Amino acid sequence: MGPDPKFQTSQGCTATLIAPDLLLTAAHCLAAGPSNAVFAPGWRVGRRNPSIAIARTLRHPDYGGIGSLQFENDIALAVLSVPVTGVPPLALADLSGAAIYNEPVALLGYHAGAQGGLSGAFDCPVGPGRGRLMGVECPVRGGNSGSPLLIKSDGEWRIVGVAAARAGNRAAMAVALDDWLHASVAAHLKGD
């Protein structure tokens, strides 16, 4: 996801399809007002994928804005102008905060050093942070913002959080999903 429809002039963020026309990402990846941001499903350098315009965005109501250093609510949704076909959306996990710390998570994204492909790790230990922030022991780079944190539940990968920032050289801060996010997704799916 990024501001350049061809992804040739700027690094974007990672966003995850959670419904045919709905993305989950970090709030700092989305402009506060109208923008020309686009989503390129399965983006790869050297392969032209049709990009899809983002019709509107919903940032967490308690997000402090870029530069606030308050990452606890750095989570957002983006509604696409047209649905994505042929790509199954990932489900959100319905886990208590404590359950997240029982197993390593996967952190996957499109970062600047990945040669335009999806990369990440499936064995990232998670530790408690402050509030809904989690410490994830996997390195992140520019472009990983908005990457999903995934946990395997009942044989399926489900999203438990979103990468928000780097924490040193070998770790990330991530935001756990909250009631606002679940309610916003449910309202979108109902057509509200």
Side-chain angles (χ1 to χ4, degrees), residues 78-163:
V79 179
L80 298 172
S81 59
V82 296
V84 173
T85 57
V87 178
L90 284 174
L92 303 179
D94 188 17
L95 299 171
S96 69
I100 295 169
Y101 306 114
N102 293 338
E103 300 180 33
V105 297
L107 190 152
L108 304 172
Y110 294 91
H111 65 78
Q115 303 300 316
L118 183 65
S119 68
F122 288 86
D123 58 352
C124 305
V126 177
R130 181 183 74 241
R132 287 191 4 266
L133 280 178
M134 301 177 281
V136 181
E137 294 181 35
C138 269
V140 294
R141 296 183 187 180
N144 277 135
S145 290
S147 293
L149 265 64
L150 304 166
I151 193 165
K152 203 158 201 179
S153 175
D154 298 325
E156 292 186 27
W157 289 103
R158 298 180 188 275
I159 303 169
V160 295
V162 172

Side-chain angles (χ1 to χ4, degrees), residues 12-125:
C13 286
T14 299
T16 305
L17 193 67
I18 59 172
D21 66 341
L22 191 63
L23 303 174
L24 175 64
T25 192
H28 75 264
C29 294
L30 299 171
S35 77
N36 62 343
V38 296
F39 176 63
W43 176 68
R44 297 268 194 267
V45 169
R47 189 176 91 195
R48 292 186 59 119
N49 288 325
S51 57
I52 300 170
I54 293 175
R56 68 183 179 96
T57 62
L58 271 104
R59 292 164 130 188
H60 194 287
D62 295 327
Y63 173 61
I66 294 173
S68 72
L69 297 178
Q70 296 177 356
F71 297 105
E72 189 171 347
N73 298 303
D74 191 356
I75 196 163
L77 297 168
V79 179
L80 298 172
S81 59
V82 296
V84 173
T85 57
V87 178
L90 284 174
L92 303 179
D94 188 17
L95 299 171
S96 69
I100 295 169
Y101 306 114
N102 293 338
E103 300 180 33
V105 297
L107 190 152
L108 304 172
Y110 294 91
H111 65 78
Q115 303 300 316
L118 183 65
S119 68
F122 288 86
D123 58 352
C124 305

